[in-house]
Amino acid sequence: MSDNILCVKGLKVTYSVGTARIRAVDDATFDIPKGSIVGLVGESGCGKTTVARALTRVMAKAAGFEGGEMLFDGVDLLGLSEADMNKLRWRDIAFIPQSAMNSLDPVYTIEKQLNEVLIQRGGMNRREARARAEELFDMVGIDPRRLGDYPHQFSGGMRQRVAIALALALNPKLIIADEPVTALDVIVQRQILDTLKSLQERLGLSVILVTHDISVVAYVCDRIVVMYAGRVVESGDTETVLTQPFHPYTMGLYNAFPDLQSSEGLLTPIEGHPPDLSDPPDGCRFAPRCPFAQTPCSTQNPTLVEVGSRHVSACLRVDEAQQLREQAAQTQTWMGAI
């Protein structure tokens, strides 16, 4: 029996925009081990949210699957009918959206919105639903007496806790959280992350945490999947990937976030921006921004290769990783890279 709750292999998702076809996710491959929190990280526009929504098959009308597999407990989600997929949503796979205020209906109390899940999807009666709703509020640290309140009566952090409670309603196996703390201040961010981590450990959940913040991944995630321009460029154990990255993009992301233990006040940005996915460059898509790019990088498409235990990277220069890390730690390396 596999120790992975989810195996994504060669996933391709395309958006049709006018006459253009934009492949937002291109041959993405990664695993989600059971009972772990996996961070899906990268800049805006790198395909993280598209992957997250693809896993629930709740996509924009312009989006379509071009290939690949999404094996959830051994069952390919892409092969399921819409009716069968609908049975999995919320019961087995739940979603925590980025903006809880926008996802909660402002004209209904929280209890009514929980009842919609617990009664209509969960088959509970009203007494059972009330008991479960109170239990869920206890889990996320909200007084059950507030079940009768409306979304606008909660702070941003408490609305996010409500969103977590909704996701947990039917005891799913996998939770996908799309930037769940982005709009919150740092103190509330930590409270929400602590709540999520505590619930994950207590309930044995598997969690995909979509974020652009390396510090969030370092704080709460067991594993990390790094995406760039629709592709997975590196994945592995969080501590290993962050301390011994093999892909220059991962090295650059790490440098771009503040180190409170460092006496230097400057951050090292990655100059430029991700490519236009309607006309992506040949070869490695990070090559135009990479200070270590060589001629083959602009023509050869690197594939994921194993560089350690459950650690893979897609770079033509993985054999030189130690040397590249030393150079990547120097700010001047990234100046004038494009």
Side-chain angles (χ1 to χ4, degrees):
M1 181 179 293
S2 173
D3 63 348
N4 295 318
I5 187 72
L6 179 71
C7 296
V8 177
K9 300 179 181 179
L11 181 65
K12 297 179 177 67
V13 181
T14 299
Y15 289 98
S16 297
V17 181
T19 59
R21 293 179 66 80
I22 300 172
R23 184 170 287 174
V25 179
D26 191 0
D27 203 27
T29 298
F30 61 91
D31 298 330
I32 306 297
K34 293 177 180 177
S36 66
I37 300 181
V38 177
L40 192 59
V41 67
E43 294 169 90
S44 296
C46 283
K48 307 183 302 297
T49 294
T50 297
V51 167
R53 294 196 174 276
L55 295 175
T56 62
R57 282 183 35 189
V58 178
M59 307 288 289
K61 289 184 178 180
F65 294 99
E66 282 199 348
E69 295 180 331
M70 300 188 298
L71 301 176
F72 177 73
D73 259 357
V75 177
D76 188 2
L77 299 178
L78 289 179
L80 295 179
S81 66
E82 181 59 25
D84 287 337
M85 187 65 205
N86 201 39
K87 293 176 183 177
L88 288 179
R89 296 187 187 109
W90 234 308
R91 289 181 177 277
D92 293 290
I93 304 175
F95 193 86
I96 301 174
Q98 180 176 150
S99 176
M101 189 63 205
N102 293 335
S103 66
L104 297 173
D105 194 321
V107 301
Y108 293 105
T109 66
I110 300 302
E111 184 173 15
K112 286 185 178 180
Q113 295 181 60
L114 274 167
N115 281 348
E116 184 176 352
V117 177
L118 296 171
I119 296 175
Q120 296 183 22
R121 297 300 300 273
M124 299 181 187
N125 60 39
R126 289 197 171 274
R127 179 178 294 180
E128 292 169 335
R130 176 68 190 193
R132 178 59 176 164
E134 291 178 353
E135 180 184 17
L136 289 167
F137 262 40
D138 277 333
M139 280 186 185
V140 299
I142 303 178
D143 190 334
R145 290 178 296 183
R146 299 206 59 187
L147 279 166
D149 288 350
Y150 291 84
H152 73 271
Q153 295 176 279
F154 292 85
S155 67
M158 293 186 77
R159 286 196 295 267
Q160 201 62 54
R161 290 174 186 269
V162 170
I164 294 173
L166 279 163
L168 291 172
L170 300 182
N171 294 312
K173 298 176 183 177
L174 175 66
I175 287 182
I176 302 166
D178 184 12
E179 301 272 13
V181 296
T182 296
L184 307 175
D185 65 67
V186 291
I187 294 177
V188 178
Q189 280 188 21
R190 176 163 182 170
Q191 293 172 351
I192 296 299
L193 292 173
D194 285 345
T195 298
L196 192 60
K197 181 65 174 177
S198 175
L199 290 168
Q200 180 265 330
E201 293 174 345
R202 174 181 169 186
L203 302 175
L205 297 168
S206 303
V207 179
I208 298 175
L209 180 62
V210 178
T211 182
H212 62 271
D213 193 335
I214 285 285
S215 61
V216 168
V217 174
Y219 181 65
V220 78
C221 293
D222 304 301
R223 292 181 60 78
I224 181 173
V225 176
V226 183
M227 291 192 68
Y228 182 77
R231 294 177 175 171
V232 173
V233 297
E234 187 161 8
S235 68
D237 170 82
T238 298
E239 182 177 358
T240 301
V241 170
L242 294 184
T243 58
Q244 295 181 321
F246 276 76
H247 198 284
Y249 182 60
T250 311
M251 300 174 196
L253 282 180
Y254 186 80
N255 289 343
F257 282 85
D259 181 355
L260 297 181
Q261 296 179 339
S262 174
S263 59
E264 298 183 12
L266 296 177
L267 299 179
T268 304
I270 303 175
E271 300 291 343
H273 51 79
D276 180 357
L277 293 182
S278 65
D279 185 25
D282 294 330
C284 175
R285 292 182 178 179
F286 186 58
R289 305 172 69 190
C290 180
F292 310 117
Q294 298 178 334
T295 300
C297 299
S298 62
T299 58
Q300 297 180 30
N301 179 19
T303 58
L304 290 170
V305 296
E306 191 170 347
V307 295
S309 178
R310 300 195 72 174
H311 184 183
V312 296
S313 179
C315 178
L316 297 179
R317 302 186 66 183
V318 290
D319 293 337
E320 306 169 65
Q322 181 56 45
Q323 177 185 348
L324 300 186
R325 286 185 211 116
E326 293 172 0
Q327 296 178 41
Q330 303 172 19
T331 300
Q332 60 267 29
T333 297
W334 298 88
M335 297 303 173
I338 60 171

